[in-house]
Amino acid sequence: MVDHARAARLAKRISTIVASAIGTEIKDPRLAHVTVTDCRVTGDLHDATVFYTVMGATVDDEPDVAEAAAGLAAATGALRSLVGAGTGVRFTPTLRFELDTVPDATRAMDELLARARAQDELVARSAKDAKPAGDSDPYRHDEDASGPEAEARG
């Protein structure tokens, strides 16, 4: 039977242990700019997927994702030992690391929204002083009871 609450608690604990270990215990320079963002554990508590992001050394530098992945692959055994010691579960879950794509998707969505806002402002500016091509109110109203249409309605 799957206990989702227990799996969620274990995932939170694993992400805390892995993030702490990357920051303090694992001395691999390739992991200097790695941030653990999330963790998911299967229902049987045997497999854990740890999501991470990689930042550049400076704001303008591109992150070295391949080196970070190699560093995490090299540290997987040590991290799994620390997770086993820190969680106290009977079976220590296997760790799998995946690059988190949510920040990139968020950045792309923000750029799309900024372009849409700029386009909306451009349309609003051009429509501000625009005049209708025909009548200002081209629709028929009931108070206009004169004319051939009113006689046809009866």
Side-chain angles (χ1 to χ4, degrees):
M1 189 155 103
V2 177
D3 186 3
H4 295 290
R6 184 171 183 210
R9 285 192 310 270
L10 183 61
K12 179 109 173 115
R13 183 74 183 129
I14 288 172
S15 66
T16 303
I17 291 169
V18 169
S20 170
I22 287 173
T24 59
E25 297 180 33
I26 306 295
K27 301 298 181 197
D28 193 338
R30 299 176 291 187
L31 303 179
H33 301 290
V34 171
T35 303
V36 174
T37 57
D38 194 17
C39 181
R40 296 203 182 119
V41 178
T42 58
D44 61 0
L45 309 179
H46 283 228
D47 298 306
T49 303
V50 179
F51 294 93
Y52 67 95
T53 59
V54 183
M55 302 297 170
T58 64
V59 175
D60 297 328
D61 289 346
E62 283 294 317
D64 195 357
V65 177
E67 284 294 315
L72 286 169
T76 299
L79 291 171
R80 186 168 183 228
S81 296
L82 291 169
V83 166
T87 57
V89 293
R90 184 173 16 160
F91 180 81
T92 302
T94 58
L95 299 179
R96 187 172 61 125
F97 293 95
E98 280 192 28
L99 185 64
D100 195 353
T101 58
V102 170
D104 294 333
T106 303
R107 193 174 308 113
M109 187 63 72
D110 285 342
E111 290 172 4
L112 288 173
L113 288 172
R115 285 196 319 197
R117 279 190 206 103
Q119 189 67 26
D120 286 347
E121 288 176 14
L122 184 69
V123 169
R125 249 185 275 131
S126 65
K128 183 176 148 185
D129 296 326
K131 301 213 182 310
D135 295 336
S136 61
D137 187 12
Y139 301 104
R140 182 177 41 202
H141 297 282
D142 287 340
E143 54 270 356
D144 297 340
S146 63
E149 296 89 14
E151 292 173 10
R153 280 187 295 207

